[in-house]
Amino acid sequence: MTSYEFKTSIPKETNILSSASPEANELYLQATHFNNTILLQVRLNGEMDSTYEVSLKGLNPLLDIDPVPLAGSLENTDGDYDDEQDEFVRDHLSDYQVVTKLGDSSDPKVPVICVQIAELYRRVVIPEVNGAMAQGNMEFSLLISMSSKIWRAAKGQNDDDNDFGKLVFLLKCIKDMYVK
């Protein structure tokens, strides 16, 4: 069992994690690695109110015929895409099953967020921590406990105004947790 921790203050002017309460400015992450399970806790001002289990499932889990970068394929950026071209694009969302253990199971954002965190772990964190490249058939599950206030909009904001910025900030913090 190995444990990692990361704590950061969120500058108010960045408005990255704006929540209903104006004093929301501390993000605390803790990850505990067991043999085949990772427990990730994401606290906003010490609060957690939801838990999700992410596991590798699907018709062809992690079938990486031609590995695609995390940000997608950059090969065809000139805008003249030919529909006749046989290009295989891997949908990594279908490789994971997200089960709500505690919290709002009807929130459509949370499964996408959990899958993005799982992809970060599978492609970046686990190979870095283990010191070797992760194999395609590697089985692990991720148990994520977090504050749902992170994904709620502040008063006067649209729900979707800064969700991508929040996700990118959270993924960066998770990655920074492993850099010492």
Side-chain angles (χ1 to χ4, degrees):
M1 178 175 78
T2 309
S3 184
Y4 301 90
E5 294 180 7
F6 183 77
K7 185 176 180 180
T8 185
S9 293
I10 304 159
K12 290 182 181 180
E13 60 271 4
T14 62
N15 201 21
I16 294 291
L17 295 176
S18 57
S19 69
S21 61
E23 70 274 352
N25 61 0
E26 182 178 277
L27 184 68
Y28 176 75
L29 303 171
Q30 182 179 16
T32 306
H33 291 240
F34 298 97
N35 285 339
N36 62 350
T37 302
I38 299 170
L39 173 62
L40 176 66
Q41 296 178 342
V42 181
R43 297 175 191 262
L44 184 63
N45 286 334
E47 297 178 2
M48 293 186 306
D49 61 358
S50 54
T51 301
Y52 307 94
E53 181 180 14
V54 184
S55 56
L56 295 168
K57 301 276 189 227
L59 296 175
N60 292 319
L62 306 175
L63 175 65
D64 282 332
I65 294 171
D66 187 20
V68 179
L70 281 174
S73 178
L74 301 175
E75 293 174 7
N76 193 2
T77 57
D78 54 3
D80 60 345
Y81 180 74
D82 184 12
D83 287 337
E84 301 290 322
Q85 213 174 11
D86 289 327
E87 186 171 322
F88 180 72
V89 178
R90 183 79 176 120
D91 176 20
H92 293 285
L93 288 174
S94 62
D95 290 334
Y96 295 94
Q97 177 182 4
V98 179
V99 177
T100 303
K101 298 291 187 178
L102 177 68
D104 184 11
S105 62
S106 64
D107 188 353
K109 295 182 225 178
V110 173
V112 174
I113 292 162
C114 291
V115 166
Q116 294 301 316
I117 293 170
E119 272 292 290
L120 176 71
Y121 268 92
R122 185 181 76 81
R123 290 183 172 220
V124 177
V125 173
I126 291 175
E128 191 173 299
V129 169
N130 291 345
M133 290 303 294
Q135 299 300 315
N137 60 357
M138 187 172 120
E139 293 288 328
F140 78 98
S141 67
L142 183 61
L143 195 60
I144 304 171
S145 295
M146 72 172 112
S147 172
S148 63
K149 289 182 180 180
I150 296 171
W151 311 110
R152 291 189 204 141
K155 292 178 183 176
Q157 277 190 330
N158 185 1
D159 253 357
D160 301 325
D161 272 353
N162 202 17
D163 285 340
F164 182 73
K166 294 174 188 180
L167 177 61
V168 169
F169 180 77
L170 179 61
L171 294 175
K172 181 187 176 310
C173 288
I174 291 171
K175 190 174 175 186
D176 289 346
M177 176 172 48
Y178 292 93
V179 178
K180 291 187 178 187

